[in-house]
Amino acid sequence: MGITLLLGGGAASLSAQPPRLSAESEVSMVTILPGDPVYSMFGHSALRVYDPAQGIDRLYNYGTFDFSDPLFIPKFAYGHLRYFLSVVPYQRALRAYEQQRRPVIEQTLSLTRADRTALFRELQINARPENRYYQYVFFFDNCSTRVRDALEQALGDAVQFGDRPRPNATFRQLLDPYAASLPLVDLSFDLALGTPADRRVTPREAHFLPDYLFEAFAHATVQSGDTTRALVARTDTTQWIDGYDATATAFAWPSAAGWIVLLLTLGWTGWQATTGRRPGEYGDALLLAVVGIVGALLCFLWFVSTYTVTTYNWNLLWAWPTHLAAAAVLLGRPSATGLRTYLVATAVTAVFVALGWTWWPQDLHTAVFPVVLAVGIRSGWRAMAPEVSPAEMERGMRTA
């Protein structure tokens, strides 16, 4: 996915007919490892064109976006993401990645002078104002896949990626290691992504992640005439950051928070049941409202946004957007006709979801399981509890 933000870098001059690269020129695939900002959590891929004879040393970056756009968040939510190919001096890009504390690895490509020139001209054409923008698609058309596509567009069938890498995983599973240090982001991904993310990834589809594109380049071949050779001639660590750790993880606090909610729910419900108290409205309304908001967002991503990977989301089995209305009714008219039936249906569905947890075609996040149980317990208890508690009935009889 690798996204980078390099605004104000200045585009290199884009001539109508780019010059032919010299014999000293080199073209490299540059992989930037993940950084701390969320937009850099998957790493990044770009292409470097270096020609000392002509004073060219540029980084062609398909992962550029304008975060200053006041409509960026609405466009992101709707799925209308326009990214563009930027061209910046390579050393300036290196300094930016050094400031972000991100290592840079460079794979110099084993291309003929004619092939290097063809790729350079393809990049120059793509960088023109009328061509530079494209519709960003999370899994299938991003900064990494565009690097591969530019190479194939320039060289045609001469470059072959074969069947590497072989991830043997789903899209969702490929994302998990990158979100290990960002538990809330990991939860958000699992809530937002539907069953399309639970399909096994093909070797070519895995190129959407820079790490996997790096491996694909390392095992690819290129043909010149009757000669077939490795695509990568040399791999260099251009920039390393002392203390960098790509395997860092964080405490899975969303899951812990979910179990705390369940424990509090059990204690709260048990206390009400043993003391003969009638369920209160505010706590249950809050729980239903939060779950309802989640359901409303999932419905937006499925039915309104242009994303295809957020469709057919099985989280809607437990996160009903109608819980928002139920919460409002509970606060305004807790004895309203039909509310008890609705709560019975909610409780039964929660039990159904929990019993089939490992069988659903979508991988649901572990933090969700205790929340589903909590909703089921509170809905079931409220549906079964009498309108008036035994203690209140006794007080009423004494008053009479």
Side-chain angles (χ1 to χ4, degrees):
M1 175 184 176
I3 309 169
T4 193
L5 182 62
L6 289 173
L7 300 178
S13 176
L14 306 177
S15 60
Q17 179 58 44
R20 183 171 183 236
L21 294 178
S22 72
E24 303 173 41
S25 64
E26 292 182 345
V27 176
S28 307
M29 206 268 280
V30 179
T31 300
I32 302 96
L33 300 191
D36 290 333
V38 173
Y39 65 79
S40 66
M41 63 184 291
F42 298 105
H44 181 55
S45 301
L47 285 168
R48 178 192 184 189
V49 176
Y50 174 63
D51 189 348
Q54 301 190 60
I56 296 174
D57 193 4
R58 305 171 186 165
L59 189 72
Y60 290 80
N61 175 6
Y62 283 97
T64 316
F65 63 90
D66 185 3
F67 194 72
S68 65
D69 182 351
L71 296 178
F72 180 83
I73 298 300
K75 289 178 180 178
F76 175 80
Y78 181 65
H80 186 68
L81 298 176
R82 293 193 72 199
Y83 282 54
F84 62 92
L85 170 60
S86 63
V87 186
V88 297
Y90 183 62
Q91 295 304 320
R92 180 182 299 174
L94 274 184
R95 289 194 295 271
Y97 294 128
E98 183 180 18
Q99 291 174 356
Q100 297 175 10
R101 298 191 55 78
R102 300 173 64 185
V104 177
I105 302 174
E106 189 172 347
Q107 293 169 298
T108 302
L109 305 185
S110 179
L111 302 178
T112 64
R113 182 181 180 185
D115 287 343
R116 296 195 300 272
T117 298
L119 179 54
F120 172 55
R121 289 177 174 172
E122 177 70 19
L123 292 171
Q124 289 290 90
I125 291 172
N126 288 346
R128 290 174 181 169
E130 66 272 21
N131 301 329
R132 64 197 304 221
Y133 289 93
Y134 70 99
Q135 180 63 30
Y136 182 90
V137 181
F138 185 37
F139 290 144
F140 307 111
D141 193 358
N142 65 11
C143 66
S144 292
T145 62
R146 286 265 163 168
V147 167
R148 175 203 64 199
D149 294 346
L151 181 65
E152 291 180 333
Q153 188 68 28
L155 304 186
D157 295 335
V159 59
Q160 294 292 325
F161 288 102
D163 62 350
R164 297 294 295 268
R166 295 188 290 270
N168 191 30
T170 66
F171 287 100
R172 192 188 305 273
Q173 290 167 345
L174 288 184
L175 299 182
D176 284 342
Y178 297 92
S181 61
L182 299 167
L184 186 59
V185 173
D186 180 55
L187 173 61
S188 300
F189 280 151
D190 278 343
L191 287 176
L193 296 175
T195 51
D198 294 280
R199 177 174 61 79
R200 292 284 171 179
V201 179
T202 67
R204 184 175 179 84
E205 288 173 336
H207 297 174
F208 84 99
L209 286 170
D211 287 342
Y212 287 88
L213 185 68
F214 178 91
E215 182 182 345
F217 268 62
H219 292 90
T221 60
V222 62
Q223 187 171 357
S224 296
D226 296 331
T227 304
T228 300
R229 62 187 181 278
L231 175 62
V232 176
R234 187 178 75 249
T235 301
D236 301 296
T237 301
T238 305
Q239 176 174 279
W240 186 253
I241 305 298
D242 291 337
Y244 180 82
D245 183 10
T247 62
T249 59
F251 175 65
W253 62 264
S255 295
W259 286 105
I260 290 173
V261 168
L262 178 59
L263 290 175
L264 291 175
T265 298
L266 288 170
W268 178 30
T269 306
W271 174 72
Q272 289 179 338
T274 55
T275 59
R277 293 179 178 272
R278 185 168 53 87
E281 283 77 34
Y282 295 104
D284 290 333
L286 176 62
L287 180 60
L288 288 174
V290 170
V291 174
I293 290 172
V294 172
L297 291 175
L298 299 186
C299 283
F300 174 85
L301 290 173
W302 182 347
F303 299 107
V304 179
S305 78
T306 62
Y307 294 111
T308 59
V309 294
T310 57
T311 59
Y312 304 101
N313 194 328
W314 287 70
N315 279 298
L316 284 169
L317 277 178
W318 63 271
W320 299 357
T322 52
H323 285 347
L324 279 170
V329 172
L330 189 58
L331 290 176
R333 296 180 58 198
S335 59
T337 303
L339 180 60
R340 188 181 294 269
T341 302
Y342 180 89
L343 293 174
V344 169
T346 300
V348 171
T349 303
V351 172
F352 177 67
V353 172
L355 290 176
W357 192 259
T358 59
W359 298 96
W360 301 120
Q362 179 175 324
D363 188 9
L364 304 180
H365 198 280
T366 56
V368 167
F369 184 75
V371 175
V372 171
L373 293 178
V375 171
I377 291 170
R378 289 307 302 174
S379 298
W381 164 240
R382 174 167 285 280
M384 293 186 301
E387 293 291 340
V388 181
S389 69
E392 290 172 331
M393 291 179 62
E394 183 179 352
R395 286 197 299 268
M397 291 176 63
R398 289 175 179 174
T399 301

